[in-house]
Coordinates of all heavy atoms in Angstrom, one line a residue:
L312 N 10.0 13.0 -1.8 CA 9.9 12.2 -3.1 C 10.9 11.1 -3.0 O 12.1 11.4 -2.7 CB 10.1 13.1 -4.3 CG 9.8 12.5 -5.6 CD1 8.4 12.0 -5.8 CD2 10.2 13.6 -6.7
S313 N 10.6 10.0 -3.4 CA 11.5 8.8 -3.3 C 11.0 7.8 -4.4 O 9.9 7.9 -5.0 CB 11.6 8.1 -2.0 OG 10.4 7.6 -1.6
T314 N 11.8 6.7 -4.6 CA 11.5 5.7 -5.5 C 12.0 4.4 -4.8 O 12.9 4.4 -4.0 CB 12.2 5.8 -6.9 OG1 11.7 4.8 -7.7 CG2 13.7 5.8 -6.7
A315 N 11.4 3.3 -5.1 CA 11.6 2.1 -4.5 C 11.5 0.9 -5.5 O 10.6 1.0 -6.4 CB 10.8 1.8 -3.3
A316 N 12.2 -0.2 -5.4 CA 12.1 -1.4 -6.2 C 12.0 -2.6 -5.1 O 12.8 -2.6 -4.2 CB 13.2 -1.7 -7.1
R317 N 11.0 -3.4 -5.1 CA 10.8 -4.4 -4.1 C 10.3 -5.6 -4.7 O 9.7 -5.8 -5.7 CB 9.9 -3.9 -3.0 CG 8.5 -3.5 -3.5 CD 7.6 -2.9 -2.5 NE 7.8 -1.4 -2.6 CZ 7.5 -0.7 -1.6 NH1 6.9 -1.1 -0.5 NH2 7.6 0.7 -1.6
Y318 N 10.5 -6.8 -3.9 CA 10.1 -8.1 -4.2 C 9.2 -8.5 -3.1 O 9.5 -8.4 -1.9 CB 11.2 -9.0 -4.4 CG 10.8 -10.5 -4.7 CD1 10.3 -10.8 -5.9 CD2 10.7 -11.4 -3.7 CE1 9.9 -12.1 -6.2 CE2 10.3 -12.8 -4.0 CZ 9.8 -13.0 -5.2 OH 9.4 -14.3 -5.4
R319 N 8.0 -9.0 -3.3 CA 7.1 -9.5 -2.3 C 6.9 -10.9 -2.4 O 6.6 -11.5 -3.5 CB 5.7 -8.8 -2.5 CG 4.7 -9.1 -1.5 CD 3.4 -8.4 -1.7 NE 3.4 -7.1 -1.3 CZ 2.3 -6.3 -1.3 NH1 1.2 -6.7 -1.7 NH2 2.5 -5.0 -0.8
T320 N 6.9 -11.7 -1.3 CA 6.7 -13.1 -1.2 C 5.5 -13.3 -0.2 O 5.5 -12.6 0.8 CB 8.0 -13.9 -0.9 OG1 7.7 -15.2 -0.9 CG2 8.5 -13.5 0.4
Y321 N 4.7 -14.3 -0.5 CA 3.6 -14.7 0.3 C 3.8 -15.9 1.1 O 4.4 -16.8 0.5 CB 2.2 -14.7 -0.6 CG 1.9 -13.5 -1.1 CD1 2.3 -13.2 -2.5 CD2 1.1 -12.5 -0.5 CE1 1.9 -12.0 -3.2 CE2 0.7 -11.3 -1.1 CZ 1.1 -11.1 -2.5 OH 0.8 -10.0 -3.1
F322 N 3.2 -16.0 2.3 CA 3.2 -17.2 3.1 C 1.8 -17.6 3.5 O 1.0 -16.8 4.0 CB 4.0 -17.0 4.4 CG 5.4 -16.5 4.2 CD1 5.9 -15.3 4.1 CD2 6.4 -17.5 3.9 CE1 7.1 -14.8 3.9 CE2 7.7 -17.2 3.5 CZ 8.1 -15.8 3.5
G323 N 1.4 -18.8 3.1 CA 0.1 -19.2 3.4 C -0.7 -19.5 2.1 O -0.3 -19.0 1.1
T324 N -1.7 -20.4 2.2 CA -2.5 -20.7 1.0 C -4.0 -20.5 1.3 O -4.8 -20.8 0.3 CB -2.2 -22.2 0.6 OG1 -2.6 -23.0 1.7 CG2 -0.7 -22.4 0.2
E325 N -4.3 -20.1 2.4 CA -5.7 -19.9 2.7 C -6.3 -18.5 2.3 O -5.5 -17.8 1.6 CB -6.0 -20.2 4.2 CG -5.6 -21.5 4.7 CD -6.4 -22.6 4.0 OE1 -7.6 -22.5 3.9 OE2 -5.8 -23.6 3.7
Q326 N -7.4 -18.0 2.8 CA -7.9 -16.7 2.4 C -6.9 -15.7 3.1 O -6.7 -14.6 2.6 CB -9.3 -16.6 3.0 CG -10.3 -17.1 2.1 CD -11.7 -16.8 2.7 OE1 -11.9 -17.0 3.9 NE2 -12.6 -16.6 1.7
W327 N -6.5 -15.9 4.2 CA -5.5 -15.1 5.0 C -4.1 -15.5 4.7 O -3.7 -16.5 5.0 CB -5.8 -14.9 6.5 CG -7.1 -14.2 6.8 CD1 -8.3 -14.7 7.0 CD2 -7.3 -12.8 7.0 NE1 -9.2 -13.8 7.3 CE2 -8.6 -12.6 7.3 CE3 -6.4 -11.7 6.9 CZ2 -9.1 -11.3 7.5 CZ3 -6.9 -10.4 7.1 CH2 -8.2 -10.3 7.4
K328 N -3.3 -14.5 4.3 CA -1.9 -14.7 4.0 C -1.0 -13.7 4.7 O -1.5 -12.5 4.8 CB -1.6 -14.8 2.5 CG -2.2 -15.9 1.7 CD -1.9 -15.7 0.2 CE -2.7 -16.6 -0.6 NZ -4.0 -16.3 -0.6
T329 N 0.2 -13.9 4.9 CA 1.2 -12.9 5.3 C 2.1 -12.6 4.2 O 2.3 -13.5 3.4 CB 1.9 -13.2 6.6 OG1 2.6 -14.5 6.4 CG2 1.0 -13.3 7.7
F330 N 2.7 -11.5 4.2 CA 3.7 -11.2 3.1 C 4.9 -10.5 3.6 O 4.9 -9.9 4.7 CB 3.2 -10.5 1.9 CG 2.7 -9.0 2.2 CD1 3.7 -8.0 2.1 CD2 1.4 -8.7 2.4 CE1 3.3 -6.7 2.4 CE2 1.0 -7.5 2.6 CZ 2.0 -6.4 2.6
L331 N 6.1 -10.7 3.0 CA 7.4 -10.1 3.4 C 7.8 -9.4 2.1 O 7.8 -9.9 1.0 CB 8.4 -11.1 3.8 CG 9.7 -10.6 4.0 CD1 9.9 -9.7 5.2 CD2 10.7 -11.8 4.3
E332 N 8.2 -8.1 2.2 CA 8.8 -7.4 1.1 C 10.2 -7.0 1.4 O 10.6 -6.7 2.6 CB 8.1 -6.1 0.8 CG 6.7 -6.3 0.3 CD 6.0 -4.9 0.1 OE1 6.4 -3.8 0.7 OE2 5.2 -4.9 -0.8
A333 N 11.1 -7.1 0.4 CA 12.5 -6.7 0.6 C 12.9 -6.0 -0.7 O 12.4 -6.4 -1.8 CB 13.4 -8.0 0.8
G334 N 13.6 -4.9 -0.5 CA 14.0 -4.1 -1.7 C 15.0 -3.0 -1.5 O 15.6 -3.0 -0.4
L335 N 15.1 -2.1 -2.4 CA 15.9 -0.9 -2.3 C 15.1 0.3 -2.3 O 14.1 0.4 -3.1 CB 16.9 -1.0 -3.5 CG 18.0 -1.9 -3.4 CD1 18.9 -1.8 -4.7 CD2 18.9 -1.7 -2.2
W336 N 15.4 1.4 -1.5 CA 14.7 2.5 -1.4 C 15.7 3.7 -1.7 O 16.8 3.6 -1.1 CB 14.1 2.6 0.1 CG 13.4 3.9 0.3 CD1 12.2 4.4 -0.3 CD2 13.8 5.0 1.1 NE1 11.9 5.6 0.3 CE2 12.8 5.9 1.2 CE3 14.8 5.0 2.1 CZ2 13.0 7.0 1.9 CZ3 15.0 6.2 2.9 CH2 13.9 7.1 2.8
A337 N 15.3 4.7 -2.4 CA 16.2 5.9 -2.7 C 15.3 7.2 -2.6 O 14.5 7.5 -3.5 CB 16.8 5.7 -4.1
P338 N 15.6 7.9 -1.5 CA 15.1 9.3 -1.5 C 15.7 10.2 -2.6 O 17.0 10.1 -2.7 CB 15.2 9.7 -0.1 CG 16.4 9.0 0.4 CD 16.3 7.7 -0.3
I339 N 15.0 11.0 -3.3 CA 15.7 11.7 -4.3 C 15.5 13.2 -4.2 O 16.1 14.0 -4.8 CB 15.4 11.3 -5.7 CG1 13.8 11.3 -5.9 CG2 15.9 9.9 -6.0 CD1 13.3 10.8 -7.3
R340 N 14.5 13.6 -3.3 CA 14.3 15.0 -3.1 C 15.1 15.7 -2.0 O 15.7 16.7 -2.2 CB 12.8 15.2 -2.9 CG 12.5 16.7 -2.7 CD 11.4 17.1 -3.6 NE 11.1 18.5 -3.4 CZ 10.6 19.3 -4.2 NH1 10.2 18.7 -5.3 NH2 10.4 20.5 -3.9
S341 N 14.9 15.1 -0.8 CA 15.6 15.7 0.4 C 17.1 15.5 0.4 O 17.9 16.6 0.4 CB 15.0 15.2 1.7 OG 15.2 13.9 1.8
R342 N 17.5 14.4 0.4 CA 18.9 14.0 0.3 C 19.1 12.7 -0.5 O 18.4 11.8 -0.4 CB 19.5 13.7 1.7 CG 19.4 14.8 2.7 CD 20.1 14.4 4.0 NE 20.3 15.6 4.8 CZ 20.1 15.6 6.1 NH1 19.8 14.4 6.6 NH2 20.3 16.6 6.8
L343 N 20.0 12.8 -1.4 CA 20.2 11.6 -2.3 C 20.9 10.5 -1.6 O 21.9 10.7 -0.9 CB 21.1 12.0 -3.5 CG 21.3 11.0 -4.6 CD1 20.0 10.5 -5.2 CD2 22.1 11.5 -5.7
G344 N 20.4 9.3 -1.7 CA 20.9 8.1 -1.0 C 20.2 6.9 -1.5 O 19.2 7.0 -2.3
I345 N 20.7 5.7 -1.0 CA 20.1 4.5 -1.4 C 20.3 3.6 -0.2 O 21.2 3.7 0.5 CB 20.6 3.9 -2.7 CG1 19.8 2.8 -3.1 CG2 22.1 3.5 -2.5 CD1 20.0 2.3 -4.5
G346 N 19.3 2.7 0.0 CA 19.5 1.7 1.1 C 18.3 0.6 1.2 O 17.6 0.6 0.3
P347 N 18.3 -0.2 2.2 CA 17.4 -1.3 2.2 C 16.1 -1.0 2.6 O 15.8 0.1 3.4 CB 18.1 -2.3 3.2 CG 18.7 -1.3 4.1 CD 19.3 -0.2 3.3
L348 N 15.0 -1.7 2.2 CA 13.6 -1.6 2.5 C 13.1 -2.9 2.9 O 13.4 -3.8 2.2 CB 12.8 -1.1 1.3 CG 11.4 -0.9 1.4 CD1 10.9 0.3 0.7 CD2 10.6 -2.1 0.9
V349 N 12.4 -3.0 3.9 CA 11.8 -4.2 4.5 C 10.3 -3.9 4.9 O 10.1 -2.9 5.6 CB 12.5 -4.8 5.7 CG1 11.8 -6.1 6.2 CG2 14.0 -5.1 5.4
G350 N 9.4 -4.8 4.5 CA 8.0 -4.5 4.8 C 7.3 -5.9 5.2 O 7.7 -7.0 4.8
L351 N 6.4 -5.9 6.1 CA 5.5 -7.0 6.5 C 4.1 -6.6 6.5 O 3.6 -5.5 6.6 CB 5.9 -7.3 8.0 CG 7.3 -7.7 8.3 CD1 7.5 -7.8 9.7 CD2 7.4 -9.1 7.7
G352 N 3.3 -7.6 6.1 CA 1.8 -7.2 6.2 C 1.0 -8.5 6.0 O 1.4 -9.7 6.0
V353 N -0.4 -8.3 5.8 CA -1.3 -9.4 5.7 C -2.2 -9.1 4.4 O -2.3 -8.0 4.0 CB -2.3 -9.5 6.9 CG1 -1.5 -9.9 8.2 CG2 -3.0 -8.3 7.2
V354 N -2.7 -10.2 3.8 CA -3.6 -10.1 2.7 C -4.8 -11.0 2.9 O -4.7 -12.1 3.4 CB -2.9 -10.6 1.4 CG1 -3.9 -10.6 0.2 CG2 -1.7 -9.9 1.1
H355 N -6.0 -10.5 2.7 CA -7.2 -11.3 2.8 C -7.7 -11.4 1.3 O -8.0 -10.4 0.7 CB -8.2 -10.7 3.6 CG -9.5 -11.4 3.6 ND1 -10.5 -11.3 2.9 CD2 -9.8 -12.5 4.5 CE1 -11.5 -12.1 3.1 NE2 -11.1 -12.9 4.1
D356 N -7.8 -12.6 0.7 CA -8.2 -12.9 -0.6 C -9.8 -13.1 -0.6 O -10.3 -14.2 0.1 CB -7.5 -14.1 -1.2 CG -6.1 -13.9 -1.5 OD1 -5.8 -12.8 -1.8 OD2 -5.3 -14.8 -1.6
F357 N -10.5 -12.3 -1.3 CA -11.9 -12.5 -1.4 C -12.2 -13.6 -2.5 O -13.2 -14.2 -2.4 CB -12.6 -11.3 -1.9 CG -12.5 -10.1 -0.9 CD1 -11.6 -9.0 -1.1 CD2 -13.1 -10.2 0.3 CE1 -11.4 -8.0 -0.2 CE2 -12.9 -9.2 1.3 CZ -12.1 -8.1 1.0
S358 N -11.4 -13.6 -3.5 CA -11.5 -14.7 -4.6 C -10.0 -14.8 -5.1 O -9.1 -14.3 -4.6 CB -12.4 -14.2 -5.6 OG -11.8 -13.1 -6.4
Q359 N -9.9 -15.7 -6.2 CA -8.6 -15.9 -6.7 C -8.0 -14.6 -7.4 O -6.9 -14.4 -7.6 CB -8.7 -17.0 -7.8 CG -7.4 -17.4 -8.4 CD -7.6 -18.5 -9.4 OE1 -8.6 -19.1 -9.6 NE2 -6.4 -18.9 -9.9
D360 N -8.9 -13.7 -7.8 CA -8.6 -12.5 -8.4 C -8.5 -11.2 -7.7 O -8.0 -10.2 -8.1 CB -9.5 -12.3 -9.7 CG -9.5 -13.4 -10.7 OD1 -8.5 -14.0 -10.8 OD2 -10.6 -13.7 -11.2
W361 N -9.2 -11.2 -6.5 CA -9.3 -10.0 -5.7 C -8.8 -10.2 -4.2 O -9.0 -11.2 -3.7 CB -10.7 -9.5 -5.6 CG -11.3 -9.0 -6.9 CD1 -12.0 -9.7 -7.8 CD2 -11.1 -7.7 -7.4 NE1 -12.3 -8.9 -8.8 CE2 -11.8 -7.7 -8.6 CE3 -10.6 -6.6 -7.1 CZ2 -11.9 -6.6 -9.5 CZ3 -10.7 -5.3 -7.8 CH2 -11.3 -5.4 -9.0
G362 N -8.0 -9.1 -3.7 CA -7.6 -9.3 -2.4 C -7.4 -7.9 -1.7 O -7.3 -6.9 -2.5
L363 N -7.3 -7.8 -0.4 CA -7.2 -6.6 0.3 C -6.0 -6.8 1.1 O -5.8 -7.8 1.7 CB -8.4 -6.3 1.2 CG -8.6 -5.0 1.9 CD1 -8.8 -3.9 0.8 CD2 -9.8 -5.0 2.9
F364 N -5.2 -5.7 1.1 CA -3.8 -5.9 1.9 C -3.6 -4.7 2.9 O -4.0 -3.6 2.6 CB -2.6 -6.2 1.0 CG -2.2 -5.0 0.2 CD1 -1.2 -4.1 0.7 CD2 -2.7 -4.8 -1.0 CE1 -0.8 -3.1 -0.1 CE2 -2.3 -3.7 -1.9 CZ -1.4 -2.8 -1.3
A365 N -2.8 -4.9 3.9 CA -2.4 -3.9 4.9 C -1.1 -4.3 5.4 O -0.8 -5.5 5.6 CB -3.4 -3.6 6.0
G366 N -0.2 -3.3 5.8 CA 1.1 -3.6 6.2 C 1.8 -2.3 6.6 O 1.3 -1.3 6.6
G367 N 3.1 -2.6 7.0 CA 4.0 -1.6 7.3 C 5.5 -1.7 6.7 O 5.7 -3.0 6.4
E368 N 6.1 -0.7 6.6 CA 7.5 -0.9 6.1 C 8.6 0.0 6.8 O 8.1 1.0 7.4 CB 7.5 -0.6 4.6 CG 7.2 0.8 4.2 CD 7.2 0.9 2.7 OE1 7.1 0.0 2.0 OE2 7.3 2.1 2.3
F369 N 9.8 -0.3 6.7 CA 10.9 0.4 7.3 C 11.9 0.5 6.2 O 12.2 -0.5 5.5 CB 11.5 -0.3 8.5 CG 12.8 0.3 9.1 CD1 12.8 1.5 9.7 CD2 14.0 -0.3 8.7 CE1 14.0 2.1 10.0 CE2 15.2 0.3 9.0 CZ 15.3 1.4 9.8
S370 N 12.6 1.7 6.0 CA 13.7 1.8 5.1 C 14.7 2.8 5.6 O 14.4 3.7 6.5 CB 13.2 2.3 3.7 OG 12.3 3.4 3.8
S371 N 15.9 2.7 5.3 CA 17.0 3.5 5.7 C 17.9 3.7 4.5 O 18.3 2.8 3.7 CB 17.8 2.8 6.8 OG 18.8 3.7 7.1
A372 N 18.3 4.9 4.2 CA 19.2 5.3 3.1 C 20.4 5.9 3.6 O 20.5 6.7 4.5 CB 18.5 6.1 2.1
F373 N 21.5 5.8 2.8 CA 22.8 6.3 3.1 C 23.3 7.0 1.8 O 23.1 6.5 0.6 CB 23.8 5.2 3.5 CG 23.4 4.4 4.6 CD1 22.7 3.2 4.5 CD2 23.7 4.8 5.9 CE1 22.3 2.4 5.5 CE2 23.2 4.0 7.0 CZ 22.6 2.9 6.8
G374 N 23.9 8.2 2.0 CA 24.5 8.9 0.8 C 24.9 10.3 1.2 O 25.8 10.4 2.1
D375 N 24.2 11.4 0.8 CA 24.5 12.7 1.2 C 24.2 12.8 2.7 O 24.8 13.7 3.4 CB 23.6 13.7 0.5 CG 24.0 13.8 -1.0 OD1 25.1 13.4 -1.3 OD2 23.1 14.4 -1.7
G376 N 23.4 12.0 3.3 CA 23.2 11.9 4.7 C 22.4 10.7 5.0 O 22.1 9.9 4.1
R377 N 22.1 10.5 6.2 CA 21.3 9.2 6.6 C 19.8 9.5 6.6 O 19.5 10.5 7.4 CB 21.8 8.6 7.8 CG 21.1 7.3 8.2 CD 21.6 6.5 9.2 NE 20.8 5.4 9.4 CZ 21.2 4.3 10.1 NH1 22.4 4.2 10.7 NH2 20.4 3.4 10.3
V378 N 19.0 8.9 6.0 CA 17.5 9.1 6.0 C 16.9 7.8 6.5 O 17.2 6.8 5.9 CB 17.1 9.5 4.6 CG1 15.6 9.7 4.6 CG2 17.8 10.7 4.1
V379 N 15.9 7.9 7.4 CA 15.2 6.7 7.9 C 13.7 7.0 7.6 O 13.2 8.1 7.8 CB 15.4 6.5 9.3 CG1 14.5 5.4 9.9 CG2 16.9 6.2 9.7
S380 N 13.0 6.0 7.2 CA 11.5 6.3 6.9 C 10.7 5.1 7.4 O 11.2 3.9 7.3 CB 11.3 6.3 5.4 OG 10.0 6.5 5.0
F381 N 9.6 5.3 7.9 CA 8.5 4.4 8.3 C 7.3 4.6 7.5 O 7.0 5.7 7.2 CB 8.2 4.4 9.7 CG 9.3 4.2 10.7 CD1 10.2 5.2 11.2 CD2 9.7 2.9 11.1 CE1 11.1 5.0 12.0 CE2 10.7 2.6 11.9 CZ 11.5 3.6 12.4
G382 N 6.6 3.6 7.0 CA 5.4 3.8 6.2 C 4.4 2.7 6.5 O 4.6 1.7 7.0
A383 N 3.2 3.1 6.1 CA 2.0 2.2 6.2 C 1.6 1.8 4.8 O 1.6 2.8 3.9 CB 0.9 2.9 7.0
L384 N 1.1 0.6 4.6 CA 0.6 0.2 3.3 C -0.8 -0.3 3.4 O -1.1 -0.9 4.4 CB 1.5 -1.0 2.8 CG 3.0 -1.0 2.8 CD1 3.5 -2.4 2.6 CD2 3.4 0.0 1.8
G385 N -1.6 0.0 2.4 CA -3.0 -0.5 2.4 C -3.5 -0.4 0.9 O -3.1 0.5 0.2
G386 N -4.3 -1.4 0.5 CA -4.9 -1.3 -0.8 C -5.7 -2.5 -1.2 O -5.8 -3.5 -0.5
L387 N -6.2 -2.4 -2.5 CA -6.9 -3.5 -3.1 C -6.1 -4.1 -4.2 O -5.6 -3.3 -5.0 CB -8.3 -2.9 -3.6 CG -9.2 -3.9 -4.2 CD1 -9.8 -4.8 -3.2 CD2 -10.3 -3.1 -4.9
Q388 N -6.1 -5.3 -4.3 CA -5.3 -6.0 -5.4 C -6.1 -6.7 -6.4 O -7.1 -7.4 -6.0 CB -4.3 -7.1 -4.9 CG -3.2 -6.6 -4.1 CD -2.3 -7.8 -3.5 OE1 -2.8 -8.9 -3.5 NE2 -1.1 -7.5 -3.3
F389 N -6.0 -6.5 -7.7 CA -6.6 -7.2 -8.7 C -5.5 -8.0 -9.4 O -4.5 -7.5 -9.9 CB -7.4 -6.3 -9.6 CG -7.9 -7.0 -10.9 CD1 -9.0 -7.9 -10.7 CD2 -7.4 -6.7 -12.1 CE1 -9.5 -8.6 -11.8 CE2 -8.0 -7.3 -13.3 CZ -8.9 -8.3 -13.0
R390 N -5.7 -9.3 -9.5 CA -4.7 -10.3 -10.1 C -5.3 -10.8 -11.4 O -6.5 -11.4 -11.3 CB -4.2 -11.3 -9.1 CG -3.6 -10.6 -8.0 CD -3.1 -11.6 -6.9 NE -4.3 -12.2 -6.3 CZ -4.8 -11.9 -5.2 NH1 -4.3 -10.8 -4.5 NH2 -5.8 -12.5 -4.6
F391 N -4.5 -11.0 -12.4 CA -4.9 -11.7 -13.6 C -3.9 -12.5 -14.3 O -2.8 -12.0 -14.0 CB -5.7 -10.7 -14.6 CG -4.8 -9.6 -15.0 CD1 -4.0 -9.9 -16.1 CD2 -4.6 -8.5 -14.3 CE1 -3.2 -8.7 -16.6 CE2 -3.8 -7.4 -14.7 CZ -3.1 -7.6 -15.9
A392 N -4.2 -13.5 -15.0 CA -3.1 -14.3 -15.7 C -3.1 -13.7 -17.1 O -4.1 -13.3 -17.7 CB -3.6 -15.7 -15.8
I393 N -1.8 -13.6 -17.7 CA -1.6 -13.2 -19.0 C -1.5 -14.4 -19.9 O -0.7 -15.3 -19.8 CB -0.3 -12.4 -19.1 CG1 -0.4 -11.2 -18.2 CG2 -0.1 -12.0 -20.6 CD1 0.8 -10.3 -18.1
P394 N -2.5 -14.5 -20.9 CA -2.5 -15.7 -21.7 C -1.3 -15.9 -22.6 O -0.7 -15.0 -22.9 CB -3.8 -15.6 -22.4 CG -4.2 -14.2 -22.3 CD -3.5 -13.6 -21.3

């Protein structure tokens, strides 16, 4: 069990974009710690409101011990404007 806070930025303006995520990762069940998180991936936009994404991430935490994690990302995005 862990928690993370991240910021994602996109590169490209076409249907296919790449993204970079940077943030903090904290495992809270096995060993308490905190450390950096970095992720890379791609997004395919079907429209202005819908997109499909896939990517991977790496994180490492320091605290009670050193914990390293690799992860895979995938999902569907729905975006909307708040009036």
